Every structure is written in C-alpha cells, then in structure tokens.
Amino acid sequence: QKEVEQNSGPLSVPEGAIASLNCTYSDRVSQSFFWYRQYSGKSPELIMSIYSNGDKEDGRFTAQLNKASQYVSLLIRDSQPSDSATYLCAVKGYINSGYALNFGKGTSLLVTP
Amino acid sequence: DVKVTQSSRYLVKRTGEKVFLECVQDMDHENMFWYRQDPGLGLRLIYFSYDVKMKEKGDIPEGYSVSREKKERFSLILESASTNQTSMYLCALTSPSGRTYEQFFGPGTRLTVL
C-alpha cells in the first residue's frame, strides 16, 4: 500500500499569515500530485495540481514539489478565516489494475481572526 | 464545469437491507470512483471503473459491489448493509483532458445503518 502522510493538525495561524501544509509520499515513481480543500460536511474540492519539481502559484496558493525528497507542500498566503478547512494531499498511484488517487488523511487548518 | 450528482445526501437504512447509491455525471467521463470517508481513516477507495461494464477493486471492496451499465451512471451496492458501513460515501470522476488526473467529487451521501 502506497502511503501518503500528512500531519493531522490542527494547524492554527493568525489571519494574514502564511499557512504551510506538508505532505510526504512513499511511491517513488509518482508523477501527479493534488491538493484538495474540504469544509466540514462538504465534499473535497480540488485547489491545486502539480506535476513538475518546483513551485506552482495560483492566486494566494503555491504548491511546491520535490520528487527527490518525496515531498509536496501547499502554502496559503494572506490566510483568511474562510480558509479554515481540512486540506487533503493526493498522489496518483497504481492500485490493483489501474490508476487512482491515494489520499492522505488531511491536515486541519484554523485561521484565527 | 464538471457536474457529479449523487442520488441522496442523507440515507438511513436497516441492517441487512440492500442499499443502492447512485452517481451520475453529465459529460463523457470514463473514469469513475467510489470512496468512503470516516473520521481518522480518511478517504478510502472502494471500487472504480474505466468504462461501461468495467470495474476494478480499490482498497476496501469487501461488502460492496458496483454496477456500470451506462457510461454516465456508476452505482455502489451494499448487498446486506451492516452498521460498520455507516459512513460518508463520495463519488468522483476524473477529467478526461490529456495527462492530468484531476478528480472531481460529488456532494456525498451520508449513510446511516441502524
């Protein structure tokens, strides 16, 4: 079973600060990585995908990938209370006879006003 | 926009009942997935399908079966519901574009088995 590990949190940051969420994965050959946001009682929502080493920016979000270290992270700049949610890291992997996403258990983020 | 519809938001069933959870898409996506999500256990893959009449087991297929008779509909079946199948069930599909494997989720069905 390919592992995707995240710190469960909660990670608490003040409004306006940078939130840094981290994820490590065990499958060395993985090529596709995703971050999802999930509000309580709602389904996961895709916020970022990243496929190449380095940084990818989208608005206040930056995804960082380091395949050599098997590490992917998500930075949220100027954090807002509305960013309070659980953030799921997902890695594309081979499961039985096909490709699917392996999800971490998520990091809970709390942005305090 | 990708639209994934699940038949019910909340469902209450009795132990031993046969339960059908339906997932419907409005576009021509091949890959569809069923997950369950439980506190502390995260999202776990039950079954997935690449096309009509095709199915693949995920990590926790025991106690479940699936049906995909038409491309737009992927059903999850609990043959004889048990209390340990109380969970949030999420259907997902992947974008068909190129090399990406972005998954999009339906709103989920919260199933309670009494």
Side-chain angles (χ1 to χ4, degrees), chain B residues 79-90:
Chain B
E79 297 289 342
S80 176
S82 63
T83 54
N84 63 12
Q85 292 179 309
T86 291
S87 186
M88 169 70 92
Y89 289 88
L90 291 157

Side-chain angles (χ1 to χ4, degrees), chain A residues 41-42, chain B residues 7-12 21 88 108-112:
Chain A
K42 302 293 186 183
Chain B
S7 50
S8 307
R9 291 301 307 274
Y10 300 93
L11 206 54
V12 180
L21 302 181
M88 169 70 92
T109 295
R110 185 164 293 282
L111 172 67
T112 301

Side-chain angles (χ1 to χ4, degrees), chain A residues 3-4 18 26 29 33 36 50 52 54 57 61-62 64 66 68 71 86 90-91 103 105 107-108:
Chain A
E3 300 289 335
V4 179
I18 296 175
S26 63
V29 301
F33 307 86
Y36 287 80
I50 187 166
S52 304
E57 188 173 317
F61 298 98
T62 299
Q64 299 175 316
N66 183 327
Y71 175 94
T86 297
V91 177
F103 284 84
K105 293 179 182 177
T107 298
S108 175

